[in-house]
Amino acid sequence: NFPERAALLAAEIEETQPDVVGLQEAVMVRTDTPSDAATSPTTPAEQVSLDYLQMLLDKLQARGLSYTAVVQSINWDIEVPADENSDGRLDFDLRHTDRVITLIRKDGNSGLKVLGTNSGHFQRNCTLPSALGPIKILRGWTSVDLSIRGKAVRFINTHLDGDCSDVAPAIQLAQAQEILQGPVQEAKDRNLPVVLLGDLNSKADGTGTPTYANLLKPEVGFADAWVEAGRNTDPGYTCCQDDDLLNPGPSLEDRRDYVLFLSGALQAADAEVVGANPADRTPSGLWPSDHAGVVADLRLLSE
């Protein structure tokens, strides 16, 4: 029930008033009825059933908030035939499209100016077996360069592999390296401060993949806003609620969603987790998301 949950996500944004929002798993669901899988298997479904981005933007607008999507990466896009009644006949085709999207605040108080955007897909991706054959879980990233009070800052938003990383962490590590060698290095070459937002699927306590620890190595240069703001005495767990989102109390057990920044031109003033309190649930008992959100207050330092 994303329409119901989108209202809570909009409430989180209204309460914290972020200038930049990194969305992961901003899904679009499309259907084709009746199914043409047997006759036109290469014809994609186009009837939009759920557009998580538009639903969230509508809820934000209803609250008088002005946000716009400035860049997106359209990642894995998979369509399968569905037998709704289990009678052996195909009823419709179901298409699931994953997106990473960056929103920026566009009201008169933000003072933000978009200087440029970019996006890309990773060369290394997880491939999963299925009844229809191997499925590649294509993932990617977005970047936007924003002028903030006359200073350019690059914001990179991504969702690293979490489907194969338990057995093949090399895929996730390779994706992080592509980020570093691509949009991060380009920003460094231009002397731009960098903020990296995302679900990295790498636990802060080191019990999973080494991706998070690698990004914080001195030779790489990233700092964690949660730690730098002095919040490391609080576990700050962000993952994960039950799959059906109906667990009565939080079931968050690790921290894997981050606001990271290249130390030097930026400083973390504060950070908080949102959407993790039982009071944040919908009237029907749903959590806003399977992950809690992370909000960081970053300050540009004077040169």
Side-chain angles (χ1 to χ4, degrees):
N1 192 348
F2 188 76
E4 189 174 294
R5 296 191 290 114
L8 297 185
L9 297 175
E12 293 174 10
I13 292 173
E14 181 179 35
E15 181 180 356
T16 55
Q17 298 284 313
D19 293 308
V20 181
V21 181
L23 304 175
Q24 301 88 41
E25 296 184 351
V27 171
M28 179 182 286
V29 178
R30 285 168 282 190
T31 59
D32 194 356
T33 305
S35 172
D36 62 3
T39 58
S40 303
T42 61
T43 303
E46 297 293 352
Q47 180 63 47
V48 176
S49 297
L50 294 169
D51 183 341
Y52 282 23
L53 170 63
Q54 191 58 54
M55 289 177 181
L56 178 58
L57 291 176
D58 290 345
K59 296 296 185 182
L60 290 169
Q61 185 178 30
R63 290 174 174 268
L65 303 175
S66 180
Y67 282 84
T68 186
V70 291
V71 62
Q72 66 176 321
S73 174
I74 300 175
N75 301 321
W76 55 279
D77 188 357
I78 297 169
E79 183 171 334
V80 296
D83 176 4
E84 187 173 19
N85 303 315
S86 300
D87 59 4
R89 292 183 297 181
L90 301 180
D91 297 298
F92 63 94
D93 298 326
L94 180 66
R95 181 180 176 191
H96 184 117
T97 306
D98 176 72
R99 299 172 295 179
V100 168
I101 299 173
T102 300
L103 308 181
I104 66 166
R105 186 177 167 191
K106 290 293 289 181
D107 60 37
N109 298 320
S110 67
L112 301 177
K113 180 181 179 181
V114 177
L115 303 176
T117 63
N118 200 1
S119 64
H121 293 132
F122 296 120
Q123 297 299 309
R124 291 284 302 276
N125 292 280
C126 173
T127 299
L128 297 176
S130 81
L132 301 177
I135 295 177
K136 181 169 72 172
I137 308 300
L138 181 66
R139 296 188 183 275
W141 53 270
T142 66
S143 73
V144 55
D145 295 343
L146 294 177
S147 174
I148 304 173
R149 297 179 181 174
K151 176 69 174 179
V153 180
R154 173 163 295 181
F155 293 83
I156 302 170
N157 177 26
T158 193
H159 185 184
L160 299 185
D161 175 62
D163 297 288
C164 290
S165 56
D166 287 343
V167 294
I171 293 175
Q172 185 188 100
L173 289 167
Q175 292 176 349
Q177 193 63 26
E178 289 182 45
I179 290 276
L180 293 175
Q181 293 175 347
V184 172
Q185 186 58 53
E186 183 187 64
K188 286 182 174 181
D189 293 342
R190 296 171 54 193
N191 198 32
L192 297 181
V194 177
V195 181
L196 175 60
L197 316 168
D199 173 3
L200 303 187
N201 273 310
S202 183
K203 301 175 184 179
D205 63 7
T207 59
T209 64
T211 302
Y212 169 76
N214 288 352
L215 290 170
L216 268 59
K217 288 181 177 178
E219 58 269 29
V220 177
F222 275 102
D224 183 345
W226 186 261
V227 175
E228 297 300 314
R231 299 300 302 273
N232 51 318
T233 56
D234 181 333
Y237 292 156
T238 62
C239 181
C240 296
Q241 309 293 6
D242 290 354
D243 288 344
D244 63 7
L245 303 180
L246 288 172
N247 44 299
S251 59
L252 307 175
E253 296 180 339
D254 65 70
R255 189 165 70 91
R256 64 179 68 181
D257 303 270
Y258 305 101
V259 177
L260 306 181
F261 61 95
L262 286 181
S263 52
L266 293 164
Q267 184 180 68
D270 197 10
E272 62 177 309
V273 168
V274 294
N277 190 306
D280 297 328
R281 294 177 299 162
T282 70
S284 65
L286 294 167
W287 290 93
S289 174
D290 60 334
H291 288 229
V294 180
V295 182
D297 181 3
L298 301 180
R299 305 292 172 85
L300 274 167
L301 301 178
S302 302
E303 295 182 343

